[in-house]
Structure formats: structure tokens, C-alpha cells
Amino acid sequence: MHRDQDQLTISVGDLDISDAFARRFATLLGEVVAQKLRELPAGQPRVLLTVEEAGNRLAISRTVIYELLRSGQLESVTIGRNRRVPAAAVNNFVARLRREQHEPPQ
């Protein structure tokens, strides 16, 4: 371990890891572990999704999800101060998009 210009660096073998990097890595690792702990056992699908989870399922950003929620294109519910998206609403949204895009013009 040595300090360079007020930057703590830890050497692991031939690899030098800055203190800031190590903290960020620990934070990310903690987030991954927390997510895994929130997941249900295999075979039990989630009924309600967080905005982030809905975005991941649709492969779109949180911002776009919030726009869809505001416009009423995607259903959500609130539980206390938490906003959740029913998993069925995500499936319904995709089915509606598919129908709209494959309907013959009138």
C-alpha cells in the first residue's frame, strides 16, 4: 500500500487498485448482492416490477419508462411512496405495440 498525491493505492500482485476504484467496486458488488437477495426463488415470477426492472425487461431507459407512465401508455401502481409496474402491464404494452404496428392501414 502506498500513497501517490493523496491517492491511496493498493497493490494486488501486479495490479494497482486505487482506493476510489475499490470503493466503487464494493458499492457495485453490494448492489448486485442486494438485487440477488430481492429475487424470488426459481419458478416464482415477480408480479410487480420496479421502474428499473420494467426498463430492463423492455430494454429501454428509466427516463423512457417514466414518460410512458406519465402518458398512460404503461400502467403502474403505487404502494406507499414506491411506484411499481405490474409485470402483466409490461406484457400488455408489448402486445399493444405489436398489434398497432401490424394492423393494416385503414
Side-chain angles (χ1 to χ4, degrees):
M1 204 172 2
H2 61 278
R3 285 191 179 272
D4 288 321
Q5 300 170 343
D6 294 328
Q7 178 72 20
L8 180 63
T9 304
I10 302 167
S11 295
V12 180
D14 294 333
L15 183 63
D16 288 336
I17 300 172
S18 73
D19 186 45
F21 177 82
R23 276 195 225 132
R24 181 69 182 135
F25 179 77
T27 300
L28 290 173
L29 184 59
E31 290 170 3
V32 169
V33 169
Q35 176 63 34
K36 290 295 180 188
L37 290 174
R38 286 192 300 265
E39 290 178 1
L40 294 174
Q44 295 183 15
R46 304 228 10 214
V47 175
L48 296 175
L49 307 171
T50 64
V51 170
E52 290 80 11
E53 290 167 336
N56 288 339
R57 283 206 181 175
L58 293 169
I60 57 179
S61 70
R62 280 176 39 141
T63 303
V64 174
I65 290 286
Y66 278 113
E67 289 172 9
L68 293 171
L69 295 174
R70 270 190 288 280
S71 69
Q73 295 179 63
L74 183 62
E75 177 191 352
S76 70
V77 297
T78 54
I79 302 173
R81 295 179 63 190
N82 299 305
R83 180 176 295 270
R84 294 293 181 258
V85 178
V90 173
N91 296 335
N92 294 341
F93 174 74
V94 172
R96 189 171 60 252
L97 285 177
R98 292 180 72 190
R99 272 193 316 273
E100 290 170 359
Q101 291 179 14
H102 290 93
E103 284 180 356
Q106 294 182 11

